[in-house]
Amino acid sequence: MYKSFLLSLLLFCVFLSTPSAASGTHDYSFKVSRGDAFYKFFFSTGLSGKLLKKLMASDERAQKLNKIYPGDKFRIVLNANHELDQIIYSPANDNPLFITYDGQSFNYGKTSIQKIGELSQTIITIKKSLNYDAKKAGVGAEVIKMMVDHFSWEMDFSRDLRKGDKFMLSWNGEKTPIAMVYVGSRKTIALFSYKNTLGQKKYFTSKGATINDTFAFAPAKYNRISSSFSKRRFHPTLKIYRSHRGTDFATPSGTPIYAPAKGIVKYRATLSGYGNVVYLKHGSKYLTVYAHLSKFAKNLKSGKKVKKSELIGYVGTTGQSTGPHLHYEIRVNGVHQDAEKIKLPKQSFVPTSAMPEFQKRARRILQDLNIG
Ligand SMILES: [Zn+2]
């Protein structure tokens, strides 16, 4: 038991600690998992039990270190002599706590960590809306739009954004930031720029993938396309000519329908024309519609985040429909598009060879923003 604990501690350190080579200091980063205790992190850096006791007795704020939760983060920085220099405790739901040690006493509140220097930051704390608060913080309209376009893939600005949530931008002098980070009470989304060999700048998660998704062509298994997108066609039920602004996939009732890309359920309803219908929003531009469903997937409601290939419902023939089929629409910025012809953006990735450098830079940026 003890052995396996030591082993896991060792592995833990190998993967998570990031000693900085530059200054001879040791800079360890930890993320709290279930069952972790602060002393484990403290001891794993080689610091003594005597010092821990002194720390705990130094101030009542030190008691926060005994109440840590999964998702919280720590940085423990040692000087070149392997003596404690600073502890930064970043709770997932609270402001970071900085504790510095000068060899004699502990100091609370101020950071002594050097900034990367050439980077500057904009911190936007949400009071009204991203648009309002970012403008107030001096961020230009183009960058605000870019932030919305990116973060909308993972959050619904109309529902998920809360007062007190933060957006952090890190700049190195270019017109667009080198990193954009959302820090909410429930989650953090961090995106880092990377320029490809052509000098084109895109934003990637720390895993090296763009935040947008690649769309699957069809959201369900189908036998054939029974009706293509057209500007004008004869409607068999209504007996009138009208445009068909979607694609009909002929497939039996009960065939499962899967989200073609990750998104957020915008709307779930039963309408006279569409029957049972689901609207999915993907990022800020793309909306997909699924009509005539026999049934919705369990727990599918507005605001729910769905992954790519997640079940959203079953094919049927509800509403104005001549037989079981899936009526599928893609709208881009509100305009109906032909699903058979439209070229949708694909997810892209940082080349494997560039990943170590990319991730190192990402870690430095986060540390600089004090959310490492
Ligand atoms: Zn249709």
Side-chain angles (χ1 to χ4, degrees):
M1 183 62 199
Y2 183 63
K3 244 184 188 170
S4 73
F5 168 68
L6 275 186
L7 184 68
S8 61
L9 201 60
L10 185 71
L11 287 172
F12 186 73
C13 295
V14 169
F15 287 117
L16 282 186
S17 65
T18 53
S20 74
S23 52
T25 61
H26 306 265
D27 192 338
Y28 300 93
S29 300
F30 304 103
K31 190 168 179 178
V32 178
S33 299
R34 262 183 85 149
D36 278 337
F38 171 69
Y39 71 87
K40 284 191 201 172
F41 303 129
F42 192 83
F43 291 148
S44 75
T45 64
L47 294 169
S48 71
K50 204 176 146 193
L51 188 65
L52 180 65
K53 232 174 141 182
K54 188 174 171 186
L55 166 65
M56 287 305 169
S58 65
D59 190 289
E60 61 180 18
R61 278 171 284 184
Q63 293 312 314
K64 284 190 173 183
L65 302 174
N66 285 329
K67 289 178 199 143
I68 61 175
Y69 297 96
D72 290 357
K73 285 171 189 163
F74 282 100
R75 268 175 84 191
I76 299 177
V77 185
L78 310 182
N79 66 21
N81 297 326
H82 221 269
E83 292 155 348
L84 179 62
D85 182 25
Q86 184 167 51
I87 297 166
I88 302 170
Y89 169 44
S90 306
N93 297 319
D94 204 355
N95 292 323
L97 174 69
F98 300 97
I99 307 171
T100 45
Y101 185 60
D102 57 11
Q104 298 279 322
S105 56
F106 290 92
N107 238 301
Y108 286 75
K110 281 200 166 173
T111 176
S112 69
I113 298 288
Q114 286 180 351
K115 291 280 174 190
I116 298 176
E118 73 270 26
L119 297 185
S120 61
Q121 289 131 15
T122 308
I123 313 267
I124 302 154
T125 305
I126 298 301
K127 293 193 183 98
K128 264 187 163 173
S129 69
L130 174 62
N131 198 43
Y132 177 87
D133 295 306
K135 263 185 195 154
K136 247 182 117 183
V139 180
E142 234 167 88
V143 173
I144 298 174
K145 185 181 178 296
M146 205 174 72
M147 291 167 75
V148 173
D149 284 348
H150 282 81
F151 290 114
S152 291
W153 280 95
E154 292 290 341
M155 61 188 285
D156 181 346
F157 276 83
S158 60
R159 288 166 177 274
D160 299 343
L161 205 58
R162 299 274 186 277
K163 262 186 193 171
D165 285 1
K166 286 185 169 62
F167 287 91
M168 300 175 169
L169 303 175
S170 193
W171 308 82
N172 65 349
E174 291 182 7
K175 275 186 186 167
T176 50
I178 56 161
M180 313 188 276
V181 185
Y182 163 71
V183 183
S185 57
R186 288 200 205 151
K187 63 179 170 186
T188 297
I189 307 166
L191 297 172
F192 308 92
S193 67
Y194 172 77
K195 279 182 189 167
N196 65 14
T197 46
L198 299 169
Q200 293 159 330
K201 189 172 176 178
K202 275 189 187 174
Y203 294 88
F204 300 83
T205 65
S206 60
K207 287 181 179 147
T210 51
I211 196 164
N212 65 304
D213 211 346
T214 304
F215 282 79
F217 172 68
K221 264 194 187 162
Y222 64 99
N223 301 324
R224 63 194 172 85
I225 289 172
S226 52
S227 176
S228 285
F229 185 91
S230 70
K231 295 263 145 77
R232 191 177 142 86
R233 72 156 182 174
F234 186 70
H235 195 283
T237 327
L238 297 177
K239 311 276 185 220
I240 52 164
Y241 279 95
R242 74 171 197 192
S243 59
H244 183 234
R245 302 197 293 174
T247 303
D248 288 349
F249 293 103
T251 181
S253 262
T255 304
I257 303 164
Y258 304 105
K262 71 175 167 185
I264 292 163
V265 179
K266 203 66 197 164
Y267 191 47
R268 188 206 106 148
T270 303
L271 306 174
S272 57
Y274 276 152
N276 293 328
V277 64
V278 175
Y279 288 65
L280 293 186
K281 192 93 201 275
H282 314 270
S284 59
K285 288 185 198 143
Y286 305 95
L287 182 82
T288 51
V289 179
Y290 313 80
H292 312 309
L293 313 193
S294 57
K295 235 173 40 170
F296 300 110
K298 254 194 206 166
N299 305 324
L300 194 90
K301 52 181 179 200
S302 322
K304 185 184 190 270
K305 256 194 78 190
V306 291
K307 293 189 195 111
K308 181 172 178 163
S309 304
E310 190 172 328
L311 181 74
I312 53 173
Y314 301 89
V315 171
T317 184
T318 54
Q320 282 172 23
S321 167
T322 49
H325 75 282
L326 170 64
H327 171 91
Y328 176 54
E329 290 176 20
I330 298 181
R331 302 181 195 171
V332 183
N333 290 324
V335 180
H336 290 76
Q337 303 285 341
D338 185 344
E340 291 177 79
K341 290 188 184 141
I342 188 178
K343 251 197 115 189
L344 293 162
K346 290 196 164 86
Q347 189 172 39
S348 52
F349 302 89
V350 174
T352 314
S353 60
M355 273 304 279
E357 194 52 43
F358 171 79
Q359 284 184 318
K360 202 170 135 191
R361 191 169 135 264
R363 268 200 302 268
R364 277 183 54 191
I365 292 169
L366 289 181
Q367 286 182 357
D368 194 53
L369 290 167
N370 278 324
I371 47 178

